[in-house]
Coordinates of all heavy atoms in Angstrom, one line a residue:
L41 N -3.2 -6.7 -5.5 CA -4.2 -7.1 -4.6 C -4.8 -5.9 -4.0 O -4.1 -5.0 -3.6 CB -3.6 -8.0 -3.5 CG -3.2 -9.5 -3.9 CD1 -1.9 -9.4 -4.6 CD2 -3.1 -10.3 -2.6
C43 N -7.9 -3.8 -1.5 CA -8.9 -3.8 -0.5 C -10.0 -2.7 -0.8 O -9.7 -1.6 -1.0 CB -8.3 -3.4 0.9 SG -7.5 -4.8 1.7
F83 N -6.5 -13.9 13.6 CA -6.5 -12.4 13.6 C -7.8 -12.0 14.3 O -8.9 -12.2 13.9 CB -6.5 -11.8 12.2 CG -5.3 -12.2 11.4 CD1 -5.3 -13.4 10.7 CD2 -4.1 -11.5 11.4 CE1 -4.2 -13.8 9.9 CE2 -3.0 -11.9 10.6 CZ -3.1 -13.1 9.9
Y98 N -9.8 -6.6 11.4 CA -9.2 -7.3 10.2 C -10.4 -7.7 9.3 O -11.4 -8.1 9.7 CB -8.5 -8.5 10.6 CG -7.3 -8.3 11.5 CD1 -7.4 -8.3 12.9 CD2 -6.0 -8.0 11.0 CE1 -6.3 -8.0 13.7 CE2 -4.9 -7.8 11.8 CZ -5.1 -7.8 13.2 OH -4.0 -7.5 14.0
F107 N -0.8 -15.2 -2.5 CA -0.7 -14.2 -1.5 C -2.1 -13.8 -1.1 O -3.1 -13.8 -1.9 CB 0.0 -12.9 -2.1 CG 1.4 -13.1 -2.3 CD1 1.9 -13.4 -3.6 CD2 2.4 -12.9 -1.3 CE1 3.2 -13.6 -3.8 CE2 3.7 -13.1 -1.5 CZ 4.2 -13.4 -2.8
I108 N -2.3 -13.6 0.2 CA -3.6 -13.2 0.8 C -3.5 -11.8 1.4 O -2.5 -11.6 2.2 CB -4.1 -14.2 1.8 CG1 -4.4 -15.6 1.1 CG2 -5.3 -13.7 2.6 CD1 -4.7 -16.7 2.1
L109 N -4.4 -10.9 1.1 CA -4.3 -9.6 1.6 C -5.5 -9.4 2.6 O -6.6 -9.6 2.2 CB -4.4 -8.5 0.5 CG -4.4 -7.0 0.9 CD1 -3.1 -6.7 1.7 CD2 -4.6 -6.1 -0.3
L110 N -5.2 -8.9 3.8 CA -6.2 -8.5 4.8 C -6.1 -7.0 5.0 O -5.1 -6.4 5.0 CB -5.9 -9.2 6.1 CG -5.8 -10.8 6.2 CD1 -5.6 -11.2 7.6 CD2 -7.1 -11.4 5.6
M111 N -7.3 -6.4 5.1 CA -7.4 -5.0 5.5 C -7.1 -5.0 7.1 O -7.7 -5.8 7.8 CB -8.7 -4.4 5.2 CG -8.9 -3.0 5.8 SD -10.5 -2.3 5.4 CE -10.3 -2.0 3.7
H112 N -6.3 -4.1 7.5 CA -5.9 -4.0 8.9 C -6.1 -2.5 9.3 O -5.4 -1.7 9.0 CB -4.5 -4.4 9.1 CG -4.1 -4.4 10.6 ND1 -2.8 -4.2 11.0 CD2 -4.8 -4.5 11.7 CE1 -2.7 -4.2 12.3 NE2 -4.0 -4.4 12.8
M117 N -4.6 4.2 11.8 CA -4.0 3.8 10.6 C -4.8 2.7 9.8 O -5.2 1.7 10.4 CB -2.6 3.2 10.9 CG -1.8 2.7 9.6 SD -1.3 4.0 8.5 CE 0.0 4.7 9.5
F118 N -5.1 3.1 8.6 CA -5.8 2.1 7.7 C -4.7 1.5 6.7 O -4.2 2.1 5.8 CB -6.9 2.9 6.9 CG -7.9 3.5 7.7 CD1 -7.8 4.7 8.3 CD2 -9.1 2.7 8.0 CE1 -8.8 5.2 9.1 CE2 -10.1 3.3 8.7 CZ -10.0 4.5 9.3
T119 N -4.5 0.2 7.0 CA -3.4 -0.4 6.3 C -3.8 -1.9 6.0 O -4.9 -2.2 5.8 CB -2.1 -0.3 7.0 OG1 -1.0 -0.9 6.3 CG2 -2.1 -0.9 8.4
G120 N -2.8 -2.8 5.9 CA -3.1 -4.2 5.6 C -2.1 -5.2 6.1 O -1.0 -4.7 6.6
K121 N -2.4 -6.4 6.0 CA -1.4 -7.5 6.3 C -1.4 -8.4 5.1 O -2.4 -8.8 4.5 CB -1.9 -8.3 7.5 CG -1.8 -7.6 8.8 CD -0.4 -7.3 9.3 CE -0.4 -6.6 10.7 NZ 1.0 -6.3 11.1
L122 N -0.2 -8.8 4.7 CA 0.0 -9.7 3.5 C 0.6 -11.0 4.0 O 1.6 -11.1 4.7 CB 1.0 -9.0 2.6 CG 1.2 -9.8 1.2 CD1 0.0 -9.7 0.4 CD2 2.4 -9.1 0.5
Y123 N -0.1 -12.1 3.6 CA 0.3 -13.4 4.0 C 0.8 -14.2 2.7 O 0.1 -14.3 1.7 CB -0.9 -14.2 4.6 CG -0.6 -15.6 4.9 CD1 0.3 -16.0 5.9 CD2 -1.2 -16.7 4.2 CE1 0.6 -17.3 6.2 CE2 -0.9 -18.0 4.5 CZ 0.0 -18.3 5.5 OH 0.3 -19.6 5.8
N124 N 2.0 -14.7 2.9 CA 2.6 -15.5 1.8 C 2.3 -17.0 2.1 O 2.8 -17.6 3.0 CB 4.1 -15.2 1.8 CG 4.8 -15.9 0.6 OD1 4.5 -17.0 0.2 ND2 5.9 -15.2 0.1
K129 N 4.8 -16.6 5.9 CA 5.3 -15.3 6.5 C 4.2 -14.3 6.3 O 3.6 -14.1 5.3 CB 6.6 -14.9 5.9 CG 7.2 -13.7 6.6 CD 8.6 -13.3 5.9 CE 9.2 -12.1 6.6 NZ 9.6 -12.3 8.0
I130 N 4.0 -13.5 7.4 CA 3.1 -12.3 7.3 C 4.0 -11.1 7.3 O 4.9 -10.9 8.1 CB 2.2 -12.2 8.6 CG1 1.4 -13.5 8.7 CG2 1.4 -11.0 8.5 CD1 0.6 -13.6 10.0
T131 N 3.8 -10.2 6.3 CA 4.5 -9.0 6.1 C 3.6 -7.8 6.0 O 2.3 -8.0 5.8 CB 5.4 -9.1 4.8 OG1 4.5 -9.3 3.7 CG2 6.4 -10.2 4.9
P132 N 4.1 -6.6 6.1 CA 3.2 -5.4 5.9 C 2.4 -5.4 4.6 O 3.0 -5.7 3.6 CB 4.1 -4.2 6.1 CG 5.3 -4.8 6.8 CD 5.5 -6.2 6.4
G133 N 1.2 -5.1 4.7 CA 0.4 -4.9 3.5 C -0.2 -3.5 3.5 O 0.4 -2.6 4.1
G134 N -1.2 -3.2 2.7 CA -1.8 -1.9 2.7 C -3.2 -2.0 2.1 O -3.8 -3.1 2.0
E135 N -3.8 -0.8 1.8 CA -5.1 -0.8 1.2 C -5.0 -1.4 -0.3 O -6.0 -1.8 -0.8 CB -5.6 0.6 1.1 CG -5.9 1.2 2.5 CD -6.5 2.5 2.5 OE1 -5.9 3.4 1.9 OE2 -7.6 2.7 3.2
F136 N -3.8 -1.4 -0.9 CA -3.6 -2.2 -2.0 C -2.1 -2.7 -1.9 O -1.3 -2.1 -1.2 CB -3.8 -1.5 -3.3 CG -2.9 -0.4 -3.7 CD1 -1.6 -0.6 -4.1 CD2 -3.3 0.9 -3.7 CE1 -0.7 0.4 -4.5 CE2 -2.4 2.0 -4.0 CZ -1.2 1.7 -4.4
V137 N -1.8 -3.7 -2.7 CA -0.4 -4.2 -2.8 C -0.2 -4.4 -4.3 O -0.9 -5.2 -4.9 CB -0.3 -5.6 -2.0 CG1 1.1 -6.2 -2.4 CG2 -0.4 -5.3 -0.5
L138 N 0.9 -3.8 -4.8 CA 1.2 -3.9 -6.2 C 2.6 -4.5 -6.3 O 3.6 -3.9 -6.0 CB 1.2 -2.5 -6.9 CG 1.5 -2.5 -8.4 CD1 0.5 -3.2 -9.2 CD2 1.7 -1.0 -8.8
F139 N 2.6 -5.8 -6.8 CA 3.9 -6.5 -7.0 C 4.6 -6.2 -8.2 O 4.0 -5.9 -9.3 CB 3.6 -8.0 -7.0 CG 3.6 -8.6 -5.6 CD1 2.3 -8.8 -5.0 CD2 4.7 -9.1 -4.9 CE1 2.2 -9.4 -3.7 CE2 4.6 -9.7 -3.7 CZ 3.4 -9.8 -3.1
A145 N 9.5 -7.5 -5.1 CA 9.2 -6.2 -4.4 C 7.8 -5.9 -4.6 O 7.1 -6.4 -5.6 CB 10.1 -5.1 -4.9
Y146 N 7.2 -5.1 -3.7 CA 5.9 -4.7 -3.8 C 5.7 -3.3 -3.2 O 6.3 -2.9 -2.2 CB 4.9 -5.7 -3.2 CG 5.0 -6.0 -1.7 CD1 4.3 -5.2 -0.8 CD2 5.7 -7.0 -1.3 CE1 4.3 -5.5 0.5 CE2 5.8 -7.3 0.1 CZ 5.1 -6.5 1.0 OH 5.2 -6.8 2.3
L147 N 4.7 -2.6 -3.8 CA 4.3 -1.2 -3.3 C 3.0 -1.4 -2.5 O 2.1 -2.1 -2.9 CB 4.1 -0.3 -4.5 CG 3.5 1.1 -4.2 CD1 4.5 2.0 -3.5 CD2 3.0 1.7 -5.4
I148 N 2.9 -0.7 -1.4 CA 1.7 -0.6 -0.7 C 1.2 0.8 -0.5 O 2.0 1.8 -0.6 CB 1.8 -1.3 0.7 CG1 2.6 -0.4 1.7 CG2 2.3 -2.7 0.6 CD1 2.1 -0.3 3.0
E149 N -0.1 1.0 -0.2 CA -0.6 2.3 0.1 C -1.3 2.1 1.5 O -2.1 1.2 1.7 CB -1.6 2.8 -0.9 CG -2.2 4.2 -0.6 CD -3.1 4.7 -1.7 OE1 -4.3 4.4 -1.7 OE2 -2.5 5.5 -2.6
Q150 N -1.1 3.1 2.4 CA -1.8 3.1 3.6 C -2.2 4.5 4.0 O -1.6 5.5 3.5 CB -1.0 2.5 4.8 CG 0.3 3.2 5.1 CD 1.2 2.5 6.1 OE1 1.0 1.3 6.3 NE2 2.0 3.2 6.8
E159 N 0.3 7.3 2.4 CA 1.7 6.9 2.4 C 1.9 5.8 1.4 O 1.1 4.9 1.3 CB 2.1 6.4 3.8 CG 2.1 7.5 4.8 CD 2.6 7.0 6.2 OE1 2.5 5.8 6.4 OE2 2.9 7.8 7.0
W160 N 3.0 5.9 0.6 CA 3.4 4.8 -0.2 C 4.7 4.2 0.4 O 5.6 4.9 0.8 CB 3.7 5.3 -1.6 CG 2.4 5.4 -2.5 CD1 1.2 5.1 -2.1 CD2 2.4 5.8 -3.8 NE1 0.3 5.4 -3.1 CE2 1.0 5.8 -4.2 CE3 3.3 6.3 -4.8 CZ2 0.6 6.2 -5.5 CZ3 2.9 6.6 -6.0 CH2 1.6 6.6 -6.4
K161 N 4.8 2.9 0.4 CA 6.0 2.2 0.9 C 6.3 1.0 -0.1 O 5.4 0.4 -0.6 CB 5.8 1.6 2.3 CG 5.5 2.7 3.3 CD 5.3 2.1 4.7 CE 5.0 3.1 5.8 NZ 6.1 4.0 6.1
I162 N 7.6 0.8 -0.2 CA 8.1 -0.3 -1.0 C 8.8 -1.3 -0.1 O 9.6 -0.9 0.7 CB 9.1 0.1 -2.1 CG1 8.3 1.0 -3.2 CG2 9.7 -1.1 -2.8 CD1 9.2 1.5 -4.3
Y163 N 8.4 -2.6 -0.2 CA 9.0 -3.7 0.6 C 9.6 -4.7 -0.3 O 9.0 -5.0 -1.4 CB 7.9 -4.3 1.5 CG 7.4 -3.5 2.6 CD1 6.3 -2.7 2.4 CD2 8.1 -3.5 3.8 CE1 5.8 -1.9 3.5 CE2 7.6 -2.7 4.9 CZ 6.5 -1.9 4.7 OH 6.0 -1.1 5.7
A164 N 10.6 -5.4 0.2 CA 11.0 -6.6 -0.5 C 10.0 -7.7 -0.1 O 9.3 -7.5 0.9 CB 12.4 -7.0 0.0
V165 N 10.0 -8.8 -0.8 CA 8.9 -9.8 -0.6 C 9.1 -10.4 0.8 O 8.1 -10.9 1.4 CB 9.0 -10.9 -1.7 CG1 10.2 -11.8 -1.5 CG2 7.7 -11.7 -1.7
N166 N 10.3 -10.3 1.4 CA 10.5 -10.8 2.8 C 10.0 -9.8 3.9 O 10.2 -10.1 5.0 CB 11.9 -11.2 3.0 CG 12.9 -10.0 2.9 OD1 12.5 -8.8 2.8 ND2 14.2 -10.2 3.0
G167 N 9.5 -8.7 3.4 CA 9.0 -7.7 4.4 C 9.9 -6.6 4.8 O 9.6 -5.7 5.6
Q168 N 11.1 -6.6 4.2 CA 12.1 -5.5 4.5 C 11.7 -4.2 3.8 O 11.5 -4.2 2.6 CB 13.5 -5.9 4.1 CG 14.6 -4.9 4.4 CD 16.0 -5.3 4.0 OE1 16.1 -6.4 3.5 NE2 16.9 -4.5 4.2
L169 N 11.6 -3.1 4.6 CA 11.3 -1.8 4.0 C 12.4 -1.3 3.1 O 13.6 -1.3 3.6 CB 10.9 -0.8 5.1 CG 10.5 0.6 4.7 CD1 9.2 0.6 3.9 CD2 10.5 1.5 5.9
S170 N 12.1 -0.8 1.9 CA 13.1 -0.3 1.0 C 12.9 1.2 0.8 O 13.9 1.9 0.6 CB 13.0 -1.0 -0.3 OG 13.4 -2.3 -0.2
W171 N 11.7 1.7 0.8 CA 11.5 3.1 0.6 C 10.1 3.5 1.2 O 9.2 2.7 1.2 CB 11.5 3.4 -0.9 CG 11.0 4.8 -1.3 CD1 11.8 6.0 -1.2 CD2 9.7 5.3 -1.7 NE1 11.1 7.1 -1.6 CE2 9.8 6.7 -1.8 CE3 8.5 4.6 -1.8 CZ2 8.7 7.4 -2.2 CZ3 7.4 5.3 -2.2 CH2 7.5 6.7 -2.4

Side-chain angles (χ1 to χ4, degrees):
L41 287 79
C43 279
F83 302 86
Y98 299 90
F107 292 95
I108 294 173
L109 178 62
L110 303 182
M111 174 180 288
H112 182 208
M117 178 67 76
F118 295 86
T119 183
K121 294 289 185 182
L122 185 67
Y123 177 67
N124 187 325
K129 186 177 180 64
I130 300 172
T131 57
E135 293 182 308
F136 71 73
V137 170
L138 181 65
F139 274 94
Y146 62 88
L147 170 74
I148 70 136
E149 179 175 87
Q150 62 184 23
E159 291 180 343
W160 279 359
K161 296 178 184 289
I162 293 176
Y163 290 93
V165 72
N166 64 4
Q168 181 179 358
L169 181 66
S170 295
W171 172 82

